[in-house]
């Protein structure tokens, strides 16, 4: 796509590594002009990709991120709320500070980025927002109380915002991956991961491609009648 | 940079005209004749709830962009006032000017 004004624009939060970076690459391949953010600068580059250092839990930094997108691209079609943090610990041993940290990134970050996305999307009466949940929510996974609580909140946000943003032509959906071989699960013992995989209908780790497959479905223009949905990979559970 | 009242009123009126066109409640109103007394919301108001949300979001964006501020119009104070600052063009203008003054703009 050479016509910059006609080129669709996507934002991926938590774009520095893991699934976020993979989604950036796939969206760029699909013809999107892609913006990404993470708290730190990235040491890689990609044609069609622009990185903005921003903490999604910081309201001023989120406003700055969207000012940059507005100034450089003037539009936004797709937002992937991928930024997330996890923590595995017994509930009784989990410090309140861990809950606060997870809530700040997973819930507050999704809330702020979604709200600011709408300001850019509503002008064209079109938008696709995809949030990231986890199969740990329907599994009520032990040892993940803070993570599951915050991702449950993300699912609730997905459903409520899907109603409130529908009049603007914006859909909001979520994809809930199984464990995927990224930094997020690297610290989790292998037997814990295997026990989790054993509960799935399709007994394997997820791949980043599995996530993009659902994202691609949610963001295509033909998915205008699909909103407020959460798709769990590897299910039923 | 201080925002003049007339400038702010102009921004609000332009936004109200844009979004009132999409509202059934605006049928029969002369959108060219709007002024500070124009009721935005409620019985004889021009806007439905979605229109009001759109106007507040639009005005907030334009003011913040032009003034370099980070005001939030629909803050808790606004929502808890006995008389809504969003009831008319004039009351909304007053409220936004108050927010700008508090931010030193």
């Amino acid at each position: 796509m050479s016509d910059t004004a006609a080129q669709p624009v996507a934002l991926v939060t938590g774009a520095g590594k893991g699934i976020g970076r993979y989604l950036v690459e796939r969206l760029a391949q699909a013809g999107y002009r892609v913006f990404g953010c993470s708290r730190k600068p990235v040491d890689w580059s990609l044609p069609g990709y622009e990185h903005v250092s921003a903490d999604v839990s910081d309201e001023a930094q989120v406003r700055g991120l969207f000012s940059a997108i507005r100034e450089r691209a003037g539009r936004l079609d797709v937002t992937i709320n991928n930024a997330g943090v996890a923590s595995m610990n017994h509930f009784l041993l989990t410090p309140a500070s861990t809950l606060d940290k997870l809530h700040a990134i997973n819930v507050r970050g999704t809330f702020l980025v979604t709200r600011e996305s709408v300001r850019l999307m509503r002008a064209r009466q079109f938008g696709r927002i995809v949030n990231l949940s986890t199969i740990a929510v329907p599994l009520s996974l032990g040892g993940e109380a803070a993570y599951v609580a915050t991702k449950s909140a993300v699912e609730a946000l997905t459903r409520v915002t899907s109603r409130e943003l529908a009049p603007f032509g914006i859909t909001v959906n979520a994809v809930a991956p199984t464990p995927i071989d990224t930094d997020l699960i690297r610290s989790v013992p292998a037997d814990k991961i295997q026990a989790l995989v054993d509960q799935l209908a399709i007994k394997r780790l997820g791949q980043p491609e599995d996530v993009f497959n659902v994202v691609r479905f949610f963001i295509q223009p033909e998915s205008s009648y699909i909103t407020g949905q959460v798709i769990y990979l590897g299910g039923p559970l | 940079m201080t925002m003049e009242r007339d400038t702010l009123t102009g921004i609000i009126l332009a936004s109200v005209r844009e979004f009132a066109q999409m509202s059934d409640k605006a049928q029969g109103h002369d959108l060219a004749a709007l002024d500070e007394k124009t009721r935005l919301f409620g019985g004889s108001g021009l806007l439905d709830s979605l229109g009001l949300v759109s106007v507040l979001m639009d005005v907030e964006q334009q003011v913040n962009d032009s003034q370099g501020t980070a005001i939030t119009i629909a803050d808790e104070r606004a929502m808890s006032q006995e008389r809504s600052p969003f009831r008319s063009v004039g009351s909304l203008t007053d409220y936004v000017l108050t927010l700008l003054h508090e931010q030193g703009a």
Side-chain angles (χ1 to χ4, degrees):
Chain A
M1 294 182 195
S2 57
D3 183 352
T4 304
Q7 187 178 20
V9 177
L11 166 67
V12 179
T13 67
K17 57 187 179 182
I19 295 174
R21 181 174 174 181
Y22 180 82
L23 293 175
V24 165
E25 292 170 358
R26 294 303 305 268
L27 287 165
Q29 286 170 11
Y32 285 85
R33 179 176 179 180
V34 186
F35 287 83
C37 73
S38 59
R39 279 173 286 189
K40 296 175 185 169
V42 291
D43 57 2
W44 50 271
S45 63
L46 189 72
Y49 176 70
E50 295 167 62
H51 193 83
V52 179
S53 295
D55 177 347
V56 294
S57 68
D58 184 306
E59 189 166 17
Q61 291 187 35
V62 171
R63 284 184 193 265
L65 164 66
F66 281 88
S67 291
I69 297 173
R70 188 179 305 107
E71 286 166 13
R72 296 184 208 168
R75 64 183 276 183
L76 182 64
D77 302 81
V78 171
T79 291
I80 314 293
N81 277 308
N82 167 71
V85 285
S87 171
M88 192 160 198
N89 205 343
H90 193 286
F91 169 71
L92 293 174
L93 300 176
T94 303
S97 59
T98 298
L99 176 64
D100 292 343
K101 180 184 169 195
L102 267 60
H103 189 273
I105 302 294
N106 298 350
V107 183
R108 183 179 164 89
T110 299
F111 184 101
L112 292 175
V113 170
T114 297
R115 194 187 67 193
E116 297 305 310
S117 293
V118 175
R119 295 180 194 275
L120 271 170
M121 291 173 170
R122 69 186 174 87
R124 299 179 62 252
Q125 283 286 300
F126 177 89
R128 298 280 184 265
I129 296 171
V130 182
N131 297 330
L132 268 285
S133 182
T134 166
I135 58 146
V137 170
L139 285 174
S140 302
L141 195 63
E144 301 266 11
Y147 185 52
V148 168
T150 57
K151 287 298 188 178
S152 296
V154 169
E155 292 192 9
L157 265 178
T158 302
R159 288 188 289 270
V160 175
T161 53
S162 73
R163 286 186 181 277
E164 296 200 19
L165 303 184
F168 299 100
I170 298 169
T171 66
V172 190
N173 293 287
V175 55
T178 57
I180 290 174
D181 189 19
T182 66
D183 287 351
L184 205 62
I185 67 161
R186 207 144 284 157
S187 60
V188 182
D191 61 324
K192 298 280 187 193
I193 296 295
Q194 190 57 51
L196 204 159
V197 168
D198 287 344
Q199 295 182 63
L200 304 174
I202 301 169
K203 300 185 191 310
R204 65 166 172 81
L205 282 176
Q207 299 296 323
E209 170 61 28
D210 297 318
V211 179
F212 181 69
N213 183 44
V214 178
V215 167
R216 179 169 47 197
F217 168 66
F218 281 145
I219 67 176
Q220 63 186 5
E222 295 81 3
S223 295
S224 61
Y225 203 46
I226 297 166
T227 195
Q229 305 299 312
V230 182
I231 288 189
Y232 299 102
L233 297 176
L237 304 168
Chain B
M1 189 195 337
T2 305
M3 180 167 253
E4 298 292 338
R5 184 182 184 86
D6 287 351
T7 305
L8 177 57
T9 303
I11 289 173
I12 294 172
L13 285 173
S15 185
V16 170
R17 286 191 187 100
E18 178 185 347
F19 292 103
Q21 287 174 358
M22 304 172 196
S23 167
D24 291 341
K25 295 190 72 178
Q27 297 294 322
H29 284 84
D30 179 4
L31 294 182
L34 305 184
D35 59 21
E36 287 216 20
K37 292 177 185 161
T38 299
R39 294 218 30 119
L40 294 178
F41 196 59
S44 61
L46 273 178
L47 302 167
D48 55 17
S49 57
L50 189 62
L52 181 65
V53 168
S54 297
V55 166
L56 297 182
M57 199 161 50
D58 189 51
V59 170
E60 186 178 289
Q61 186 78 57
Q62 289 196 55
V63 169
N64 284 335
D65 284 351
S66 67
Q67 302 298 299
T69 51
I71 63 164
T72 300
I73 296 177
D75 60 5
E76 287 172 14
R77 183 174 44 164
M79 305 310 278
S80 63
Q81 287 190 18
E82 204 164 302
R83 297 193 75 205
S84 170
F86 311 147
R87 64 188 180 279
S88 71
V89 172
S91 64
L92 177 57
T93 304
D94 289 338
Y95 193 68
V96 173
L97 286 173
T98 300
L99 294 174
L100 285 172
H101 179 71
E102 288 173 357
Q103 288 213 358

